[in-house]
Amino acid sequence: MRPRLKSLLIAWLAGWALLTTGCGGREQPADIVIINGAEPESLDPQIISGQPELRVVSALFEGLTRFNAKTGDPEPALASHWEISTNGLVYTFHVRTNIAWSTGEPIVASDFVRSWLRVLKPETASDYVGILFYLKNAEKFFNGEIKDPDAVGVHAIDDRTLRVELNSPTAFFLSLCAFPTYVVVPMDVIDARGDNWIRTKPLKTSGAYTLDFWRINDRIRIRRNPRYWDNANTQNNIVDLLPITSATTALNLYLDGQADIVWDKNLVPVHLMDVLRKRPDFHTFDYLGAYFVRFNVTKKPFDDPRVRKAFALAIDRNRIVERITRGGEKPAETLVPLSTANYLPAEGLKTNPEEARRLLADAGYPGGKGFPAVEYLLNAGTSANADEKVAVELQAMWRDVLGVEVGLKPMEWKTYLAALTALDYDLARSSWIADYNDPNTFLDMFLSNNGNNRTGWKDPHYDELVHQANATVDLHKRAEIFREAETYLLRYAAPIGTIYSYAGFNYYDPKKITGIYDNPIDQHPINTIKKLK
Amino acid sequence: MNSAPAIDDDSSSLSPGRLACFRFCKNRLALVSGLVLLALVLLVLIGPALTKYDPNILSDQQFAAPSSAHLLGTDDHGRDLFARVLHGARISLLVGIVGAGVSLLIGVLWGAIAGYVGGRLDNAMMRFVDVLYSLPSIVFVIVLITSLESIFKNWLAAIGSPSLASASRLLLLFVGLGAVSWLTMARIVRGQVLSLRKKAFVEAERALGISNTRILFRHILPNVTGVVIVYLALTIPSIILYESFLSYLGLGIQPPQASLGSLIAAGAAQINPIRIYWWMIVFPAGFLGLTLLALNFFGDGLRDALDPKSE
Amino acid sequence: MYYVKRVIALVPLLLVISLIAFVLVRVAPGGPFDRERAPASPEVERALKARYHLDQPIWKQYLIYLGNLARADLGPSMKYRHHSVNDIVKQALPATLMLGALSFGFALGFGIPLGFITAARKGHWEDYGGSLVALLGICIPAFVIGPVLVMIFAIKLKWFPVGLWGSPMHAVLPTLALGLFYGGRVARLMREGMLGVLSEPYITTARAKGLAERTVLFKHAFRPAILPVVSYAGPMLADLLTGSFVIENLFQIPGIGVFMVNSSLNKDYTMIVGLVILYAVLLLVLNLVVDFLYSRLDPQVKYE
């Protein structure tokens, strides 16, 4: 047996040697290893929409502003300063003089114009093109109503000055400028290489890092860009981002010391939340995201607002956040999280079983009698995520309070989304993550013509209020109109039932890692992160 | 893989069936696993009467360790695990048995027709089996489950009560798992039928003018029963296991219902370095392991009994 | 000559398989471009669909696909927009091949001796113990065995890393977790094969001639008894070489198995069809190899 074992061992090692030499040998270890969540679908900043993508792309490309690591507020980036006209419609950005691509060519104001216009072309198929519609004529240009790119509200006055015109005063426009859709991209490379420009080597980037390699399902390695304008403050040289979707695996790798940071809220095992929260290396903070139930208002029985309200009133939010999610989520009576900037809390529906039963009886279903069979649509998950657990709780609450037996219908992600969009559901698990720190990222969603509405609910009065708020310069007045709109949405029409506001989570050992801070938009610039030796 | 021929010389004092029964009972391991299986089935059937808990009723007693109040503890929603394991085992066994039944039905018919008719039809039917065999079953199952779900649901809602519609996922599992498990059955049956077709007694019957369907169903199929039963006994555990994998992917039984697979999938997350609620994994996995072990040993025993060659 | 013919016969089979996969995935509800954020206009979705020819009738899509396939191009992935399926397969296959080969070796190295011993000692404690081990390997799902192995050997004992890929040490636990299941099946097949052979008259004759039991078992029984294992080896290797979702997900191994499941869930049409073809080619070729080995091992089998 001995010699056979030995030869087996040799064969094993030989196989490895062969394999690793074939792949170019072992590489340098990274300074910092970050577990980043799902594998990015794309790294093209103007196409992407997911959080894991966003976090990688922010390290590679930069716009006029960037998010401050501590507060999450916009701060000067490729633009050193700017002026805003008194009516809030015209921004004049002064682009830094010392900025260059990672390949050495200077970045000039016209690069921004060309980059932004690229987003507005339908063939670019940008998920987030809507975020550019704040620019004057941008939406018309996108829809083809205007053919002349000169009509769009972005112009380079000279190499260093960019003039931006908006449709209406937009309080959060500087935050938008820090968003990946607004970054500057190398148009010469894109014109030459087309859709796959992101895989050119070396990749021409505008941010603090360059892309070393992107091995799908293995890791993304980024490396310090010495030509970055703020390179002096970059705190590390090589960073690896691992695509991991299993919460247990992420935890194991972190505890084993193979990863320094875990920063995806889906990567925390829900059932360990109570223990983890007590650890000094576990960080939780308010995060601008909402978890709620959508009602399909186009179908019986949820075409009746009384039924919708009854279902919303029956939800015991405290039980869900205290017993199920347990990660510091806040029970929410409003759609917009309370920590949102420029926000006055609306009046939502408080938990009220009696009122719920009364409304259901009013609607013709006393004690749930005669209620048609309905189902709660949710996304089926492989990991230990909270969605299924919340669904089980909701089902029990509706059974106990209303006497209605709701079926659960888990579907895999794409089928779930297709059903949601096609209004092929009764009730559905829903969530929304803020794109920027402002109530309108949540409240725009339920405009009649918004593609993310997905409830079938259309109301001209609501549309009117939201449009009016969006056009208001005075921040307090604007917040008041939004409050009126949200109250109308939640109390009067109730196409949704709110459950909780998200909490964000990271793991990292504060004794070993500095330069990463909790902020409500869960944005953590990689260049400020430092590993203490 | 020979079956005990049913049409045999009458000189033997013991009928082949009795003989097989005798052989089976001599195999202690098989006998014991048969008894264990019987006990499990009984437990699953009368189990709900043994506990005062409903498997789907939530409580505030989350993650309670096993105690006299909750024999096997409770889960993350405070549901009694004993009730859930029994309930889950029932579903798992049901999926295994019905799924295997579906595979039996398709496989035997397919194999028997291909083998008996022979020629071009046989060739075409078996090529079809080859094609399905070369598809990765997981892709097939996922696509099948997702695309049939709504069709099934509407159809069930149309013909029956809405409560039937809520069982659509269960029916889908029966069909889906059966649909990927019949291929080997078809191959085995075809092989057997092919060789039986050439036997003298079939020739004789044909000469007597007995119809083909009659020959096939009355005289040939009974002769393949042995092989089919053996293979069936081994299909059940593999289908139960497959369902557990689907549950792991979130495509198994619909919550809040449970199968052993979905309980284990939930329990597997408990294996972590921070804190282990051991009862959530140990009991469902133990129950599944015991069931599958018993089924396999039982199947082995059946084979030994029905296949005189291996003795 | 026989094998050349069989290889040629594979081509229509592969065509049918690709067609079935191609149509099946498109029939299922939900498409690759259903996203959480609704597209800004139907125009965007139209542009995307046009890029992947999804706006064409299905037969035309298939013809385009076949045209690319003839040039060994599996097309662009619809989820990972900047990667072609070839790209992803090329990146992910080495790890899967390595893990698959190791597990294959383990399954045979563990299963064959185990099956041999349990059969040789039928009815003794070695048989019961060994059969139990083999069956446990089959009966406990990999998503339970995997985490248990990690807990014991990586976290408590710290002998091996908990995950990731890159050194021989990284491969030990995944190989075990994956190989136990297949090892168990091999052991059972081997046991069955042995028991079948041992009841043959020629073995009785050999024993009657007074040959040592050792000689009977190794010289006369082993070779024919391994035949069921050989015919199982083809599908087993095809399974192993297309990766395991559970193991890759658990140990964070950059292999192809996760794509097999995820692409089906994500409706990444080109990726699914590409992987189906890859699997089918592997399976069919390996079955050929198995038939070849079979004819070498069993003198009764002759192909013309």
Side-chain angles (χ1 to χ4, degrees), chain B residues 4-264:
Chain B
I7 298 169
D8 212 356
D9 52 330
D10 295 320
S11 58
S12 159
S13 55
L14 278 170
S15 78
R18 299 267 306 266
L19 199 67
C21 197
F22 176 68
R23 271 201 230 100
F24 184 84
C25 294
K26 242 178 50 184
N27 183 343
R28 262 179 307 163
L29 189 62
L31 194 64
V32 170
S33 43
L35 291 176
V36 169
L37 267 185
L38 200 67
L40 286 177
V41 171
L42 275 178
L43 187 66
V44 163
L45 286 181
I46 61 159
L50 297 177
T51 170
K52 58 179 194 263
Y53 296 106
D54 181 312
N56 295 332
I57 293 296
L58 319 192
S59 78
D60 289 349
Q61 302 286 308
Q62 291 174 283
F63 302 113
S67 65
S68 54
H70 294 281
L71 273 183
L72 306 185
T74 63
D75 70 356
D76 38 2
H77 297 281
R79 296 176 291 199
D80 182 65
L81 202 58
F82 182 61
R84 283 187 74 70
V85 167
L86 288 183
H87 178 76
R90 181 188 283 188
I91 298 265
S92 280
L93 281 175
L94 196 66
V95 168
I97 291 169
V98 179
V102 171
S103 88
L104 173 86
L105 194 72
I106 309 178
V108 169
L109 277 181
W110 197 276
I113 291 172
Y116 188 75
V117 176
R120 279 231 181 104
L121 186 71
D122 175 33
N123 203 9
M125 285 174 88
M126 292 327 280
R127 282 297 82 75
F128 183 72
V129 170
D130 287 348
V131 166
L132 288 188
Y133 206 74
S134 319
L135 282 174
S137 62
I138 184 63
V139 173
F140 190 58
V141 168
I142 292 178
V143 171
L144 208 65
I145 288 187
T146 53
S147 47
L148 289 185
E149 173 116 55
S150 52
I151 301 174
F152 240 70
K153 189 151 267 180
N154 295 340
W155 178 67
L156 282 172
I159 61 158
S161 64
S163 64
L164 213 58
S166 68
S168 74
R169 178 58 71 90
L170 195 61
L171 288 172
L172 263 178
L173 287 176
F174 294 160
V175 174
L177 292 173
V180 292
S181 314
W182 63 273
L183 301 174
T184 312
M185 182 73 91
R187 282 184 174 176
I188 293 173
V189 170
R190 172 185 170 266
Q192 295 280 318
V193 171
L194 214 55
S195 68
L196 283 169
R197 193 170 67 130
K198 297 194 188 98
K199 287 267 161 71
F201 75 93
V202 177
E203 300 289 341
E205 276 165 346
R206 217 176 267 149
L208 287 173
I210 297 174
S211 81
N212 279 331
T213 24
R214 197 179 159 84
I215 298 177
L216 183 57
F217 284 93
R218 279 296 176 78
H219 301 284
I220 292 191
L221 283 185
N223 279 285
V224 299
T225 324
V227 188
V228 167
I229 289 180
V230 168
Y231 187 70
L232 191 66
L234 298 174
T235 307
I236 296 174
S238 74
I239 288 188
I240 293 179
L241 206 60
Y242 209 119
E243 193 278 333
S244 77
F245 175 55
L246 287 181
S247 287
Y248 177 77
L249 294 181
L251 293 172
I253 195 76
Q254 220 158 324
Q257 289 193 44
S259 68
L260 286 178
S262 71
L263 291 173
I264 294 172

Side-chain angles (χ1 to χ4, degrees), chain B residues 262-281:
Chain B
S262 71
L263 291 173
I264 294 172
Q270 297 298 336
I271 310 174
N272 65 68
I274 303 269
R275 175 186 61 199
I276 302 179
Y277 291 130
W278 56 271
W279 55 92
M280 283 181 67
I281 179 67

Side-chain angles (χ1 to χ4, degrees), chain A residues 40 48 56 82 199 221 306 309 319 381 399 440 463 473:
Chain A
I48 54 130
V56 182
W82 48 81
R199 299 200 57 208
R221 171 163 289 192
R306 285 172 300 189
K309 272 187 253 180
R319 177 170 163 107
R399 181 197 303 134
N440 108 320
D463 292 359
V473 190

Side-chain angles (χ1 to χ4, degrees), chain A residues 495-518:
Chain A
I496 57 167
T498 58
I499 302 179
Y500 61 77
S501 319
Y502 277 56
F505 319 107
N506 299 322
Y507 309 134
Y508 59 86
D509 186 344
K511 289 202 212 77
K512 288 190 196 141
I513 299 283
T514 59
I516 173 168
Y517 308 92
D518 302 342

Side-chain angles (χ1 to χ4, degrees), chain A residues 306-337:
Chain A
R306 285 172 300 189
V307 177
R308 303 198 290 266
K309 272 187 253 180
F311 272 66
L313 287 164
I315 299 171
D316 179 357
R317 304 181 179 101
N318 287 326
R319 177 170 163 107
I320 290 175
V321 299
E322 280 162 20
R323 293 187 172 269
I324 302 301
T325 61
R326 299 188 297 180
E329 291 84 357
K330 300 276 188 305
E333 280 155 26
T334 56
L335 175 68
V336 183

Side-chain angles (χ1 to χ4, degrees), chain A residues 117-126 129-130 133 137-146 152, chain C residues 39-45:
Chain A
L117 287 176
R118 172 178 182 246
V119 181
L120 292 174
K121 290 191 185 114
E123 57 269 26
T124 306
S126 167
V129 58
F133 290 170
N137 289 334
E139 189 166 7
K140 286 184 184 143
F141 180 73
F142 171 75
N143 290 332
E145 289 167 39
I146 293 179
V152 180
Chain C
S41 82
E43 196 52 42
V44 168
E45 215 175 335

